[in-house]
Every structure is written in C-alpha cells, then in structure tokens.
C-alpha cells in the first residue's frame, strides 16, 4: 500500500481537488437535489478507474524493468539532475549498477533512480 501512495500520491491529491470541486458545484442552489449524489458517484468512479489503471501500468513496467535489469539488458532512466544536456541515463548491471528495493543505485551517481521512471531500451 505504501508503494501505491508513493507512485500515485500526486494524482490522489489532484483527484481530491476534483472531488471537492464536484461537491462545491453539487451543493449550489441552482443544482437539482439528486445531482450531488449522481455527480460524486460518476466523478469518483472515473477517477478511481484512471488512477487504478495508471498504477497497474506503472507496476507492470517496473516489473518489466527489474526483470530486464537482472538479465543484463540496458535500461533508460529519466535524469532530473541535468535538464539542459543528457536527460536520460543508461543503467546496466555490468556498469556498477545495482537494485536497492525499487531504486537503481551506483557509486558513480549521487541520486538513485526509481524503476517507475525507467524503460527497457
């Protein structure tokens, strides 16, 4: 469950904001009485579907990346340290990279790279 909150935390905050807007609009005097309940059911259902789908796609990609890394295939990870030049880093087991939980770490880099932000080359 902790991984879900780490990966989807930003989207959950945005979803809460959208739900609050739906509540605000649904409680206005010009809106019919059943609109709040119907609106919230629709909004929450759509948001849950999209957030759940994003989580499923992300965790599947993470599993694919970890398996490819264990097989020695190159992995491309997003680098947020250097935004002007190389915006990606090639991670490979043969180049002193290792896995610590969901993160790729190397003695040559200050920061780890989360496997959710990586793809198989």
């Amino acid at each position: 469950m902790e991984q879900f909150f780490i990966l989807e935390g930003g989207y959950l905050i945005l979803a809460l904001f959208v739900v609050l807007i739906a509540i605000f609009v649904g409680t206005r005097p010009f809106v019919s009485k059943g609109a709040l309940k119907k609106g919230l059911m629709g909004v929450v259902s759509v948001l849950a579907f999209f957030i759940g789908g994003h989580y499923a796609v992300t965790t599947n990609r993470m599993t694919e990346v970890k398996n490819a890394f264990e097989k020695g295939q190159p992995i491309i990870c997003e680098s947020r340290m250097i935004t002007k030049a190389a915006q990606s880093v090639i991670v490979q087991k043969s180049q002193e990279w290792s896995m610590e939980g969901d993160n790729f770490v190397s003695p040559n880099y200050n920061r780890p790279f989360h496997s959710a932000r990586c793809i198989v080359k």
Side-chain angles (χ1 to χ4, degrees):
M1 193 61 151
E2 178 185 347
Q3 184 182 27
F4 176 77
F5 289 117
I6 290 171
L7 295 174
E8 303 300 322
Y11 296 117
L12 291 172
I13 292 170
L14 288 172
L16 177 64
F17 183 69
V18 170
V19 168
L20 291 174
I21 290 172
I23 291 171
F24 178 77
V25 171
T27 57
R28 299 299 91 198
F30 56 84
V31 176
S32 64
K33 289 190 183 245
L36 175 63
K37 185 177 177 182
K38 290 178 187 175
L40 279 179
M41 286 181 9
V43 167
V44 170
S45 298
V46 168
L47 290 173
F49 174 76
F50 283 124
I51 290 173
H54 183 264
Y55 179 72
V57 168
T58 302
T59 53
N60 287 340
R61 186 178 64 246
M62 287 171 60
T63 303
E64 179 184 330
V65 165
K66 288 178 187 179
N67 291 338
F69 178 76
E70 292 302 323
K71 293 176 185 174
Q73 295 176 330
I75 308 296
I76 300 173
C77 291
E78 172 187 30
S79 175
R80 295 183 178 173
M81 280 180 56
I82 305 169
T83 58
K84 300 216 187 309
Q87 295 181 349
S88 62
V89 173
I90 304 293
V91 173
Q92 203 164 9
K93 203 172 195 176
S94 62
Q95 296 175 347
E96 298 182 10
W97 287 93
S98 62
M99 288 287 295
E100 287 182 6
D102 290 328
N103 294 318
F104 293 108
V105 294
S106 171
N108 302 324
Y109 283 87
N110 298 353
R111 298 172 57 183
F113 295 94
H114 198 281
S115 59
R117 306 291 171 244
C118 301
I119 58 171
V120 179
K121 184 172 182 182

